[in-house]
Amino acid sequence: MSDPSLVPRYAVLGNPVAHSRSPFIHEAFAQQCGLPMRYERVLSPLDAFEATVRRFAAEGGRGANITMPFKFQVPALAARCSARAVLAGAANVLRFDADGWSADNTDGIGLVRDIQQGAGVALAGRRVLLLGAGGAGAGALGPLVQARPARVVVANRSFDKAKDLVARHAAWAGQHGVSLQAADLGLEGTFDIVVNATSSSVQGAGVPVPARLLAPGALALDMMYGAAALPFLRWAQAAGATARDGLGMLVEQAAEAFFIFRGVMPAAAPVLAALRAQLDAEVGRQVT
Ligand code: ATR
């Protein structure tokens, strides 16, 4: 494809967006799959998300990844919305089809694949604690339930938000034979897999629950990566758990988005290794 105007264009839209690793990840997938792709960062003004997406599509964009703080605005723009995006109430992928836009949410499936394939931990039959009922937690819950753990507890500082999120997923949990409950941060019990979807460490508040919630040999995963994940990773390691940051989830959600865009599923592992090396070189230290 020698004419650059024929190279399919994609972008990540957010605010801020300069930090986004999506161009690196998607260009690596494209190269791996032998597909042409141009992938950009588009900074959207906070009050002009819809206009920014429409301009990118009108200029020839084929699809976009949407990041914070716009994920909640995506479903309303789409003609079709996947079941997991409806459950999450948010989407991170838009494909600009000729007969209308399609929205999807790949965050949760990215998390599930990273747990099961990346960390090698099966979810079926396990006890899962999801910390946080904000946007990140909402995106994760549907696919977590779909992997059929025995039990999922959503614990949140504001109990009512956990309760609402659980209520929205009650029928889904019933269909998958999963016990799903809401809790506040004073919960009891032990869990095989603990996923941190709170932003408490970004705010310097540390991990909001005690380490006794971790079962022996538990997997503790923070959805963040880099410095933001360090307090949780240290907390988990000190308790003897296997600690994992959100870099694998980031690459896996992108792999699913790439599949939606191009119809080809790329291999996440080599791209995760390259991204990890890049990040380590930047911060000069290991984050997991
Ligand atoms: P995101 O899109 O990253 O999920 P969010 O929707 O603002 O961002 O949600 C942030 C999450 O982190 C929420 O679950 C929030 O709890 P509340 O719903 O009670 O606000 C949680 N969180 C933020 N700071 C926290 C802290 N210091 N301790 C415990 N939970 C915290």
Side-chain angles (χ1 to χ4, degrees), residues 52-196:
T52 307
V53 188
R54 292 201 184 284
R55 189 176 325 117
F56 180 67
E59 286 169 0
R62 302 269 188 95
N65 292 109
I66 313 299
T67 189
M68 299 316 286
F70 302 119
K71 292 182 186 184
F72 297 101
Q73 296 181 42
V74 178
L77 301 181
R80 288 172 298 275
C81 210
S82 70
R84 57 196 180 194
V86 171
L87 272 176
N92 67 329
V93 178
L94 260 181
R95 196 181 59 207
F96 309 132
D97 301 329
D99 62 343
W101 296 355
S102 303
D104 205 339
N105 191 318
T106 64
D107 286 332
I109 190 68
L111 172 69
V112 165
R113 287 206 187 120
D114 186 57
I115 290 173
Q116 301 205 126
Q117 289 157 31
V121 173
L123 279 154
R126 313 301 284 277
R127 298 162 296 180
V128 177
L129 173 60
L130 178 62
L131 293 172
L141 188 55
L144 271 178
V145 165
Q146 201 169 12
R148 298 181 186 273
R151 176 174 190 223
V152 179
V153 176
V154 179
N156 199 50
R157 181 175 59 181
S158 330
F159 174 69
D160 283 351
K161 260 168 78 179
K163 210 174 72 176
D164 290 350
L165 185 60
V166 161
R168 206 159 80 222
H169 288 74
W172 186 248
Q175 283 165 32
H176 291 86
V178 176
S179 156
L180 178 61
Q181 291 157 315
D184 61 26
L185 297 176
L187 78 164
E188 298 290 336
T190 53
F191 297 87
D192 308 302
I193 297 155
V194 175
V195 175
N196 185 24

Side-chain angles (χ1 to χ4, degrees), residues 202-239:
V202 176
Q203 301 167 11
V207 181
V209 290
R212 63 181 146 73
L213 296 175
L214 293 161
L219 171 70
L221 186 151
D222 197 309
M223 287 198 192
M224 300 201 187
Y225 59 88
L230 284 176
F232 182 84
L233 298 179
R234 289 187 180 130
W235 170 85
Q237 278 160 350

